[in-house]
Structures are given as structure tokens and as C-alpha cells.
């Protein structure tokens, strides 16, 4: 029972007396630490509360707990009856680990809709499974901000409620609330498998309508299946032209698993011919400088090429499908694409009618049907 210090590196909670965490980090030298308190409630159950960066606040809360236990008062806090949903949202988006997430901007957008329909002043104890299921129904009836004449898609609602789940789960881990009230919430069924695979003529037409700085990015995406951020922030250090590989470290992939991507001959030639900058290690440049987005340029290029509703991520579908058509086994393709499960991987493999027309039948039937 007492004060604990959370290791900024491995998140292990240590005694303030420990100069070094078991992971090897020297705690005494860390300027930004998170303090916890540990105690046993009146039922003898061990409890932990995350206080924050203030050691004095942690010490004060610990004194309150000790005093309450001495006076035989209830020392647990029913935070769900005190904390509003707006306060939970502000706490969540302010967490350092949340700000570091690649999906931070999307989650920030999701939280705006959650606060709008659930209500910032709503107490957490009033957010029930039934209330969130009503949110699903109401959200699906709203018009889509991106597609005129259409309604919000189930995938959008699922993403917003995944954010809500994450908020509650993180609040539980930080001992701000006792439990996640929507842990049994079921996701809406999605039908968002995209069926657009570009032919060789279509990809060449798209490239012809792309500005010069975008062409090499589109080529790499079409042949490698790499994600947008993986390509955009690619560095020469990650490119091995001699052996024909791009090697991404774990912190550069969505799944946080390092992977190697073999280079298609066309990509290898393209990369070898690209100019390099002495000011940056980034591979893809515009006017000699790195850039961080090309969404508008790609959309304009697709419009010029006559490709409606085609997204940059669809190039990943093209690459994976073409690797399958080339008769590579699934294990190799998944190693290249970085998919961890076959369930998600299969969504990227689209069997077209052209393929089905060449199906080989196991039995032979004559023209009379005998």
C-alpha cells in the first residue's frame, strides 16, 4: 500500500524507492512520470488509482484513502456518477499515448459526433448499452457528409463506436471507472468490399494523368501494396536496391510488425532513377522537398482518367490481387502486405467474372447433357 511510479517506457508500476525499472530505464532521471496509488478497500480488495504527473496530488489522495480507512468510511469513488462524457472525451484525447496514435485525427472526428448525439453533459453512468444501440440507429439515418444523397455507412458508425469502446477501456485501465458499460456491444454488419481492380491499360492511363511527383508513388503502390503512410514517409535508408527490397521497421507499419517488401523490376528501376536530396532522406519529393499529403492531386488524377469512386487504398487491393493471380501462395502475399489474419486478407482478394469464366470443371459432360 502506497505510492507507485509508472515507467514511461514499459508502463510497469514501481516503488518510488526504485532508481531503475526492470526494463533498464533509470526512473530518477525521468522528468515526466505518472504516479499511482495502491491500497486495499474495506473488503480487502487491492485497488489502484492513476493520479497523473503530480506527486503531491498522489500523496494527497493516498492520505485521503488512509484517513477514510482509519475512520471506517467507504473509500472507493463512483466516478461514473461524477464524470461527464465531455470530461471523459477531453481526458482521452489529451493522453500522450492517444495523441501518438496514427488514427488520432480520425478519433478526434469520431468524438465530435459522439459528443453531439450522446451529449457532453451526460454522466457516464447514464451511458447504457441500449442508449448506444439507439446511437447506431440514429447515426445510420443521418446524411453522409462526403457522399451527396447517401446516408452514413455502417463502417463509419463502427469506427466511431470503436473509439467509444477504446475510451471506456482505457478509463478502466487507468482506474477512472469500474467497468466498460458497452463491452457487449455488437458491431454493425459491413458490406464495404471494394470491387475495383485496375487493368494494365487503366493503371497506365491513370499514370498519364498524374503529376510528375505523384507518378512514382502510384507505381510503388500498384506493385507493392504498401499503405499510403508507408510510401509517403519512405526513406532511402529503408530501400535496398542491391538486393531488391524495401525494409520497414515495426514502428513504420500499422500492425507494428517489421516486414520486407520485394521490389518489382519496374519499381526498382524507378527508384534507381529518382533524384536524391542532400537535405532530407525522404524518397518522394515535390520540387525537391518532402510533402505530407497528395489526396487532392490523386483525386484530380482519377477524375481525369475517368476512374470514379477510386481511392488510393484501392491500389493496395490491386497489388494483392495481382500477386494472387501470379500464383504466389497466401503466406508470401501476407508477408508482403503485412496482414496478420486471413479474414482481413481475403477481403483484398476479389475473384472477378473473367476469372470465373475460365473455371475448370471436374467432370466432363457432352453437349447432350449426358
Amino acid at each position: 500500500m502506497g505510492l507507485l511510479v509508472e515507467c514511461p517506457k514499459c508502463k510497469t508500476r514501481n516503488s518510488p524507492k526504485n532508481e531503475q525499472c526492470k526494463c533498464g530505464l533509470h526512473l530518477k532521471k525521468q522528468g515526466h512520470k505518472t504516479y499511482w496509488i495502491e491500497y486495499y478497500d474495506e473488503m480487502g480488495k487491492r485497488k489502484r488509482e492513476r493520479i497523473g504527473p503530480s506527486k503531491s496530488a498522489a500523496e494527497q489522495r493516498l492520505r485521503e484513502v488512509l484517513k477514510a480507512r482509519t475512520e471506517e468510511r467507504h473509500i472507493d469513488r463512483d466516478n461514473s456518477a461524477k464524470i461527464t462524457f465531455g470530461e471523459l472525451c477531453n481526458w482521452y484525447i489529451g493522453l500522450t499515448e492517444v495523441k501518438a496514435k496514427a488514427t488520432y485525427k480520425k478519433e478526434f472526428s469520431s468524438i465530435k459526433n459522439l459528443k453531439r448525439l450522446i451529449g457532453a453533459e451526460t454522466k457516464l453512468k447514464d451511458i447504457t448499452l441500449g442508449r448506444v444501440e439507439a446511437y447506431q440507429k440514429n447515426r445510420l439515418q443521418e446524411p453522409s457528409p462526403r457522399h451527396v444523397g447517401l446516408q452514413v455507412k455502417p463502417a463509419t458508425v463502427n469506427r466511431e463506436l470503436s473509439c467509444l469502446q477504446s475510451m471506456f477501456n482505457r478509463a478502466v485501465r487507468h482506474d477512472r471507472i469500474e467497468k466498460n458499460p458497452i463491452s457487449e456491444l455488437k458491431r454493425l454488419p459491413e458490406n464495404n468490399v471494394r470491387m475495383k481492380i485496375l487493368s494494365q491499360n487503366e493503371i497506365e492511363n491513370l499514370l498519364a494523368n498524374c503529376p510528375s511527383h505523384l507518378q512514382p508513388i502510384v507505381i510503388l503502390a500498384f506493385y507493392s501494396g504498401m499503405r499510403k503512410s508507408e510510401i509517403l514517409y519512405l526513406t532511402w535508408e529503408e530501400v535496398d536496391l542491391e538486393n531488391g527490397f524495401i525494409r520497414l521497421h515495426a514502428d513504420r507499419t500499422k500492425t507494428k510488425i517489421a516486414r520486407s517488401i520485394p521490389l518489382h523490376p519496374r519499381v526498382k528501376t524507378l527508384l534507381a532513377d529518382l533524384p536524391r536530396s542532400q537535405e532530407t532522406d525522404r524518397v518522394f519529393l515535390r520540387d525537391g522537398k518532402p510533402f505530407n499529403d497528395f489526396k487532392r492531386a490523386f483525386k484530380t488524377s482519377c477524375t481525369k482518367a475517368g476512374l470514379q469512386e477510386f481511392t488510393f487504398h484501392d491500389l493496395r487491393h490491386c497489388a494483392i490481387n495481382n500477386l494472387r493471380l501470379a500464383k504466389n501462395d497466401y503466406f508470401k502475399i501476407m508477408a508482403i502486405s503485412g496482414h496478420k489474419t486471413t479474414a482481413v486478407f481475403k477481403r483484398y482478394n476479389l475473384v472477378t467474372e473473367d476469372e470465373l469464366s475460365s473455371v475448370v470443371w471436374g467432370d466432363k459432360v457432352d453437349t447432350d447433357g449426358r
Side-chain angles (χ1 to χ4, degrees):
M1 180 170 178
L3 207 62
L4 298 174
V5 181
E6 182 182 282
C7 174
K9 182 179 180 180
C10 69
K11 306 303 180 184
T12 300
R13 296 158 199 167
N14 300 268
S15 167
K17 297 179 181 179
N18 295 350
E19 295 188 0
Q20 182 174 315
C21 179
K22 64 179 181 181
C23 70
L25 188 71
H26 289 276
L27 297 173
K28 295 289 185 181
K29 298 180 180 180
Q30 302 303 312
H32 301 283
K33 296 188 283 285
T34 300
Y35 290 91
W36 292 65
I37 64 168
E38 182 181 64
Y39 60 89
Y40 290 89
D41 64 14
E42 63 274 17
M43 302 299 294
K45 182 180 178 181
R46 187 173 69 171
K47 300 286 233 175
R48 284 176 176 172
E49 291 182 17
R50 184 183 189 274
I51 306 302
S54 173
K55 182 178 180 180
S56 60
E59 291 173 335
Q60 180 179 348
R61 171 58 183 162
L62 183 60
R63 286 194 294 269
E64 292 175 357
V65 170
L66 290 172
K67 182 179 179 182
R69 195 177 69 168
T70 301
E71 297 174 355
E72 297 183 350
R73 289 188 285 109
H74 183 67
I75 59 178
D76 201 8
R77 296 183 292 186
D78 184 14
N79 287 335
S80 63
K82 300 177 182 178
I83 300 176
T84 65
F85 183 60
E87 290 172 339
L88 177 67
C89 293
N90 294 336
W91 166 79
Y92 177 78
I93 61 177
L95 291 174
T96 303
E97 59 265 34
V98 174
K99 289 181 178 180
K101 294 171 69 174
T103 57
Y104 180 73
K105 289 185 178 180
K106 291 182 178 179
E107 290 200 351
F108 194 88
S109 177
S110 294
I111 287 173
K112 284 185 177 180
N113 287 315
L114 289 165
K115 288 173 70 174
R116 176 172 59 84
L117 292 182
I118 293 178
E121 299 303 318
T122 302
K123 300 295 184 182
L124 297 187
K125 68 178 180 62
D126 296 324
I127 301 178
T128 61
L129 188 60
R131 187 164 185 166
V132 175
E133 288 174 344
Y135 174 95
Q136 289 177 316
K137 182 179 179 180
N138 294 333
R139 191 77 174 96
L140 288 173
Q141 295 174 351
E142 293 188 334
S144 171
R146 296 176 58 189
H147 305 285
V148 179
L150 298 178
Q151 294 174 313
V152 172
K153 295 182 179 180
T156 301
V157 182
N158 284 338
R159 185 171 65 246
E160 292 171 355
L161 293 181
S162 291
C163 176
L164 182 61
Q165 288 270 24
S166 180
M167 291 169 61
F168 279 127
N169 288 334
R170 203 169 290 268
V172 171
R173 289 199 299 270
H174 287 227
D175 287 336
R176 295 182 68 86
I177 57 176
E178 286 293 317
K179 63 179 181 178
N180 178 355
I182 59 168
S183 59
E184 297 181 3
L185 180 69
K186 295 182 179 179
R187 292 170 58 90
L188 295 171
E190 299 179 17
N191 183 24
N192 58 351
V193 176
R194 301 182 64 85
M195 296 299 293
K196 184 60 179 174
I197 298 296
L198 298 186
S199 65
Q200 196 62 41
N201 288 336
E202 287 176 318
I203 186 62
E204 297 302 336
N205 183 35
L206 174 59
L207 289 169
N209 286 280
C210 286
S212 58
H213 72 279
L214 188 56
Q215 288 177 356
I217 290 177
V218 172
I219 292 174
L220 178 56
F222 181 76
Y223 287 106
S224 71
M226 292 171 63
R227 296 180 177 89
K228 180 179 179 180
S229 62
E230 294 171 348
I231 297 175
L232 190 58
Y233 298 104
L234 185 69
T235 64
W236 287 112
E237 182 185 4
E238 297 169 322
V239 179
D240 181 0
L241 289 176
E242 182 177 351
N243 295 299
F245 279 97
I246 287 175
R247 297 186 179 91
L248 300 178
H249 296 294
D251 60 351
R252 284 271 284 118
T253 69
K254 182 179 179 181
T255 57
K256 300 304 178 185
I257 297 176
R259 76 178 196 274
S260 297
I261 302 102
L263 296 178
H264 184 279
R266 184 178 184 181
V267 174
K268 188 175 181 180
T269 301
L270 175 142
L271 291 175
D273 293 339
L274 281 181
R276 303 195 185 194
S277 172
Q278 295 182 343
E279 299 178 359
T280 178
D281 194 40
R282 291 265 288 273
V283 173
F284 299 109
L285 308 173
R286 181 175 58 198
D287 299 327
K289 297 180 180 179
F291 54 100
N292 298 326
D293 197 22
F294 51 81
K295 183 176 182 179
R296 181 176 296 180
F298 184 78
K299 185 176 182 180
T300 301
S301 301
C302 289
T303 301
K304 291 180 178 179
L307 297 174
Q308 303 299 325
E309 298 296 325
F310 189 78
T311 68
F312 186 81
H313 195 74
D314 287 335
L315 292 171
R316 180 167 162 85
H317 290 251
C318 293
I320 293 172
N321 210 55
N322 288 336
L323 286 169
R324 178 182 62 81
L325 292 175
K327 302 193 183 306
N328 292 290
D329 66 61
Y330 278 15
F331 294 102
K332 288 181 181 178
I333 304 175
M334 290 177 69
I336 295 171
S337 67
H339 284 112
K340 296 172 68 175
T341 64
T342 55
V344 177
F345 173 73
K346 287 179 180 178
R347 295 178 65 246
Y348 283 77
N349 288 277
L350 310 176
V351 181
T352 64
E353 288 189 0
D354 287 339
E355 289 183 71
L356 294 175
S357 64
S358 61
V359 68
V360 178
W361 301 104
D363 56 338
K364 293 183 179 181
V365 181
D366 60 30
T367 56
D368 293 329
R370 294 192 295 261

